[in-house]
Structures are given as structure tokens and as C-alpha cells.
Amino acid sequence: MLILILEFNLLLSCSKKNKDYPLDVEVIKIDVDKYEEIADASFFVDTDDFEIIPLETSDSCLIGNVTRVYLKKDKIIVYDEVQKAAFIFNKDGSYYSKVLRLGNGPGEYPPVVNDIVVTDNFIGVLVPAIQKIKFYNFEGEFVKDISLNGSWAYTFFTFDENKYYLINGWGRSDQGKYHLFTLDEKGKLDKFLPFESNDEINRGWGLENYYSLFQNRALVIYSSIDSIYSVSPDQKIAPKYFVEFTKRKISKELAEGDGRTALEYAIKNDYFTGVTKIMETTRYLVLMSSGADMIVYDKTAKEVKSISTIMVIPEWDNFSIQLGAPGDIQEDKIIYTMEAIMPQYYKDTFNKNTCKDKRFAEEYSKILNAGFKDTDNPILFIFNVKK
């Protein structure tokens, strides 16, 4: 398997130099001249079905910073990176429980968490500093932990809660310099996607998330070569997409150097740093670049439909969405959070009378007039992506 992956890497590396790609790698060409600051989301958002859910605010569940939001079964799980906590709400927004177990005792974790990942039945707290993933149920109770067995990871995913795919953002690991590991509950470890020699310590900067998990596959970003690998439950791993920016892409020297310098240069000169996050739906890939730009790629038509910073929904009086953190897409649903301070601003910009969707107008106006304070928990919007 490793030999095959190395061959893929070599082939892809050579292909980029002569612009001739492997047949089974789909090239997504990003024409940056088509960039718009504001784009019409009518082709993308299905406005027929939506939910607006204010999350309960109480002393038990004060959210400092929404880093990620997960929908699992009838629960909403919000990860607060500042507090290293997962707050669990019922589908109506009422508080249910939380995972906040900072400490060194049994069932606790230190405040050096790399990520919190929600699976079908567990909330996994990834703490490479103590070489463990600690698992809790949705009641907030400690269930088990799994040793990382000398590997390193910034996040992980699983198809079946039996085998875990660990994504290493840098070349740090006692088990060798690999981008991807698999780990089962007995500690058996496999290694995939070795880092290139000149890339092993200078990549991973600027990434919002390293993967998307949709239906029966995961897409994993190998950012410094703008390649996206497909991973299947039977551990078939191969390059699937290559993203090619036609202009305004930072140089190879900057990409392989200090991440802060590269990011500052990209922002100052309006350059693209590469792919920083990927989300997948039945029809679309949504790629994030430079932390703000949304690139919507139609997998069926094999074309880029939109490049923008903000998308607006005309039927909802140009309600705007951004899909960078903490906005996300899961299973054809857009999950978008709005801090409580924002409804005060939107009171002056949203016009109930000009909103074409009367149901949205009524429900959204009710929320805007509910008297939210700046310190209240966010409002959650859930709506569908068109198929």
C-alpha cells in the first residue's frame, strides 16, 4: 500500500510540473478572475426546509467560542475551543449536558486538546500530549480511552467506531513522518501518505479542517500540494482531486516556509494560500481558501459554480452566510451559527415586508425581536443544500 501511495505522490508531483495529470485525478481549476465578494446562493441553498434554533443560555452552558457544530441523532453538539468543552443541546436548543472534564484524574483530560470529534455514539477528545483519545457519551460520562500508540494527530474520523483515521498535520510522530494513521481499539497501527522530505515540518498551517466525511468516503486534504485524497472504509487511499489556482497563488517557497509569513503575505496581497477546508454534499464540493473564500464546485457538471466571500439568499431578503469556521455542511445540511450580538445589527437590515419567503420572515422576525443580549449563546440556522 505504501509503495502505491508513494507512486501516486511521485506521479502527482511530476504531473504538476508538466500540467499532465493522472487520468483518475480530477483537476479543479480555480479561475480567480471570477471571484465575487458577494454571490447569489439561489443555485446552492434549498429554502423549502429550514430551522432557526436559539441555543439556551444558562450558567451551565455559556459558550465562549463556537469552533465546530455537529448534528447527531436528536442532539446538537457545540465545541468551544477556548474552554476545551463540548456542549450538548437538544434539537429544540435546550441544554442537555456537556463534556468539560479538565484535570489529571480518571476520566479527565488536560487543557491541551487538539480536537473534539463527534461520532454516532461518542464524543472523542483527542489529546496527543498524553497519547490518548478519551471517549464520552452524550450524557457527558466517561466511557473509555484508546492509546495513540506513538502516533500524532490534529484530528481524526471514523466510519464505524472500530477503526480511527488519525490525521497528522505536521511531520511529528514517534511512528514516523506520515500524514495519515489508522488505529483500532487494540492499538494496531497502520501508516499512510508519507510526508515529502522538504515538507515534513512546514505544512498544515492555516487549515480549518483536514477532512470531510460524507456517506461512505472521506476526503483528506494534503494542503501543500493542493491534493485531496479519497479514503474508503476498506482503507483504499488514492488522490481524487487536484486544485489548481490559475493566478494569485502564493509561491512554492512561501508555501514551504513559515506559515505565519505566508498567511500574512496572502492577506496583504489578496493571494490564495490553497485549500484550507473541504465540505462535501451529494452534488457539490465546497472548498475554503485563505480562511474566507468559498469555492463551490459542481461534481456533476465538473465546473466551479461560484467563488465568493459571502453568499446571499435573495428569497430571505439577502440573508448572508459564510461557510468558514464555524459554518459547516453535514449530510446535505448547512449548519450556520450567528452570535447573539448579530441579531441587534440585523434588526436594522432585515425587512420582513420585502422578504419573499413569508414563513422565514415570520420565524426570523420573531427571533430578532426576542431581546437577545450580547452575552447570550448563538442562534443556529439549519437549511438544506440543493441536490
Side-chain angles (χ1 to χ4, degrees):
M1 176 63 77
L2 288 180
I3 294 174
L4 289 175
I5 295 300
L6 282 169
E7 288 177 350
F8 271 125
N9 275 335
L10 289 171
L11 184 57
L12 196 55
S13 178
C14 294
S15 299
K16 288 186 295 179
K17 294 177 182 178
N18 58 24
K19 306 300 181 184
D20 181 22
Y21 301 91
L23 291 177
D24 51 357
V25 174
E26 191 171 328
V27 181
I28 302 175
K29 292 193 175 183
I30 312 297
D31 183 354
V32 298
D33 290 335
K34 294 183 179 180
Y35 165 80
E36 302 174 281
E37 185 175 350
I38 300 174
D40 187 338
S42 298
F43 76 95
F44 184 63
V45 178
D46 182 354
T47 57
D48 290 337
D49 186 18
F50 64 85
E51 297 176 81
I52 307 175
I53 307 170
L55 299 178
E56 178 185 331
T57 303
S58 70
D59 291 341
S60 299
C61 58
L62 286 175
I63 300 171
N65 178 61
V66 179
T67 307
R68 294 198 194 176
V69 181
Y70 295 89
L71 302 179
K72 289 293 181 182
K73 299 179 179 178
D74 60 344
K75 294 292 184 285
I76 299 165
I77 299 94
V78 177
Y79 174 39
D80 182 344
E81 188 176 21
V82 173
Q83 299 187 65
K84 311 299 182 187
F87 294 98
I88 303 147
F89 298 86
N90 295 309
K91 197 61 184 298
D92 63 0
S94 59
Y95 172 66
Y96 183 74
S97 63
K98 64 184 173 186
V99 174
L100 179 54
R101 305 284 293 276
L102 296 178
N104 297 311
E108 296 179 333
Y109 52 87
V112 286
V113 174
N114 278 15
D115 202 2
I116 288 180
V117 174
V118 180
T119 69
D120 286 342
N121 297 292
F122 302 111
I123 297 170
V125 182
L126 177 64
V127 195
I130 59 171
Q131 279 287 290
K132 299 226 181 249
I133 306 175
K134 290 184 172 287
F135 290 92
Y136 303 80
N137 60 26
F138 290 170
E139 281 68 41
E141 301 165 337
F142 175 71
V143 178
K144 61 181 179 179
D145 56 30
I146 297 177
S147 171
L148 295 180
N149 197 16
S151 62
W152 185 268
Y154 275 85
T155 188
F156 70 91
F157 63 88
T158 179
F159 292 103
D160 55 11
E161 296 183 344
N162 293 316
K163 181 163 289 186
Y164 298 91
Y165 292 75
L166 313 175
I167 301 176
N168 181 12
W170 305 91
R172 178 194 296 179
S173 171
D174 294 340
Q175 291 285 350
K177 296 172 180 177
Y178 293 89
H179 184 50
L180 187 67
F181 299 95
T182 60
L183 181 71
D184 65 18
E185 295 203 42
K186 295 180 180 179
K188 184 178 182 299
L189 197 71
D190 289 320
K191 313 168 188 178
F192 304 93
L193 299 179
F195 286 103
E196 296 177 12
S197 59
N198 64 340
D199 194 41
E200 60 195 23
I201 60 172
N202 292 317
R203 66 164 314 280
W205 50 266
L207 284 172
E208 288 186 33
N209 197 12
Y210 295 81
Y211 72 94
S212 71
L213 186 61
F214 179 71
Q215 294 179 348
N216 211 32
R217 78 167 179 182
L219 294 176
V220 175
I221 301 171
Y222 199 130
S223 69
S224 57
I225 58 174
D226 283 328
S227 295
I228 298 168
Y229 282 75
S230 174
V231 180
S232 65
D234 58 357
Q235 292 186 199
K236 291 181 179 177
I237 303 170
K240 176 63 179 175
Y241 300 99
F242 177 73
V243 181
E244 182 181 272
F245 292 88
T246 57
K247 298 176 184 176
R248 297 186 1 231
K249 177 71 167 67
I250 62 172
S251 66
K252 186 173 185 290
E253 289 73 22
L254 275 172
E256 293 180 352
D258 174 66
R260 182 182 295 275
T261 301
L263 194 57
E264 288 175 351
Y265 180 88
I267 293 171
K268 182 179 179 181
N269 296 281
D270 196 24
Y271 269 47
F272 289 82
T273 57
V275 179
T276 61
K277 181 177 181 178
I278 182 170
M279 295 165 277
E280 185 173 18
T281 75
T282 298
R283 180 161 183 170
Y284 298 104
L285 293 179
V286 180
L287 309 174
M288 301 300 299
S289 177
S290 307
D293 301 306
M294 297 180 289
I295 301 157
V296 182
Y297 178 73
D298 188 326
K299 296 186 292 183
T300 302
K302 296 188 183 302
E303 65 179 9
V304 173
K305 301 289 288 186
S306 174
I307 310 173
S308 65
T309 300
I310 298 172
M311 301 182 81
V312 297
I313 305 171
E315 283 189 80
W316 294 348
D317 198 41
N318 289 329
F319 179 88
S320 62
I321 59 172
Q322 287 180 290
L323 295 179
D328 208 346
I329 295 175
Q330 294 172 27
E331 299 295 331
D332 286 329
K333 288 189 178 295
I334 297 171
I335 307 164
Y336 185 61
T337 58
M338 182 184 291
E339 299 295 333
I341 191 173
M342 292 304 292
Q344 313 305 321
Y345 166 76
Y346 277 104
K347 277 185 180 179
D348 299 326
T349 61
F350 180 74
N351 190 329
K352 177 180 176 180
N353 297 320
T354 58
C355 182
K356 296 177 182 178
D357 187 332
K358 297 309 177 186
R359 179 179 157 232
F360 183 84
E362 289 295 332
E363 294 195 24
Y364 191 33
S365 295
K366 183 179 178 181
I367 297 295
L368 293 179
N369 294 320
F372 279 89
K373 300 186 293 294
D374 294 357
T375 54
D376 283 349
N377 280 338
I379 300 167
L380 190 69
F381 294 83
I382 303 173
F383 32 93
N384 294 327
V385 176
K386 286 184 176 177
K387 297 181 182 180

